[in-house]
Amino acid sequence: MRGTLTLTWILMVCLSQVAVQSQYYSESLPYDPRPVKVTNLHFFLHETLRGKNPTVVMVAQANNTSNDNYSSVPFGTLYVIDDPVKIGPGDNSEVIGNALGLGILAGKNSTTVVMYLDFGFTTGKFKGSSISIFSRNPLIETERELSVVGGRGEFRMAEGYARLKNYFFDGTTVIIEYNVTVIHY
């Protein structure tokens, strides 16, 4: 019995030392918020749907045998995108980057695309930086708004919104005007 009490006492002393030594160390620092920057960007996305060098390509399509979907682009179609981003709407406008991403036709009875695009800037003040947009995009609306959900480089931890306006469409080429408000640190 005495051996059990001695062993219990030794275990309690050891366990109390473990508890004291296992507390983590932390040092509180005063909160010093970084200043918030707001950047307004204006550019044009140039998209080629058909022809010799398309910038949007269908990579998957749902096996839909139903006659309920009368759209020429059926529900569940997945596209991959690599569009040039230019300073203006003209063919000869300076290329300032590109938009890489995915678009999924996600509306059964509408032409709504859920899209992820990463706009990477290759020239100018924001060279090497990008903004990421992930949002629902109702294609048939002339003007619409998408969410900026992140970025890298100058736009690290970005948030904000992009206002899109259809500028030109001829069945082969689409030009979309982007006015983007980016809030970043």
Side-chain angles (χ1 to χ4, degrees):
M1 179 74 174
R2 186 167 194 212
T4 305
L5 287 175
T6 304
L7 183 58
T8 303
W9 184 80
I10 291 172
L11 283 174
M12 288 175 55
V13 169
C14 289
L15 288 176
S16 68
Q17 292 301 314
V18 168
V20 169
Q21 292 177 4
S22 67
Q23 292 179 357
Y24 66 90
Y25 173 78
S26 73
E27 180 180 329
S28 296
L29 299 173
Y31 178 64
D32 186 20
R34 295 181 289 174
V36 174
K37 300 176 196 171
V38 177
T39 303
N40 294 303
L41 302 170
H42 180 253
F43 52 81
F44 292 82
L45 180 114
H46 291 247
E47 196 163 77
T48 305
L49 304 175
R50 295 180 188 87
K52 194 175 184 178
N53 193 17
T55 61
V56 177
V57 177
M58 181 174 53
V59 293
Q61 185 173 6
N63 186 11
N64 187 358
T65 58
S66 168
N67 290 330
D68 296 339
N69 190 352
Y70 298 105
S71 172
S72 61
V73 184
F75 172 71
T77 304
L78 173 66
Y79 289 91
V80 65
I81 302 162
D82 184 358
D83 294 334
V85 174
K86 297 184 179 185
I87 203 120
D91 284 340
N92 296 329
S93 294
E94 177 187 358
V95 175
I96 58 170
N98 67 337
L100 301 175
L102 299 170
I104 302 168
L105 190 69
K108 278 188 172 183
N109 299 314
S110 68
T111 51
T112 298
V113 173
V114 174
M115 61 189 318
Y116 165 74
L117 286 175
D118 185 78
F119 291 84
F121 299 99
T122 56
T123 63
K125 178 180 177 183
F126 302 116
K127 180 179 180 178
S129 298
S130 72
I131 56 172
S132 298
I133 291 178
F134 184 70
S135 196
R136 174 188 299 232
N137 187 359
L139 296 177
I140 60 171
E141 292 181 18
T142 312
E143 296 185 24
R144 50 211 184 267
E145 185 174 293
L146 306 180
S147 301
V148 174
V149 297
R152 62 183 175 82
E154 183 71 27
F155 300 118
R156 187 176 299 121
M157 301 290 292
E159 57 186 25
Y161 60 93
R163 292 184 182 238
L164 283 61
K165 185 176 183 181
N166 292 345
Y167 187 85
F168 177 80
F169 175 71
D170 69 359
T172 301
T173 303
V174 179
I175 300 174
I176 303 169
E177 181 178 13
Y178 275 74
N179 286 295
V180 184
T181 300
V182 184
I183 303 163
H184 56 105
Y185 301 95

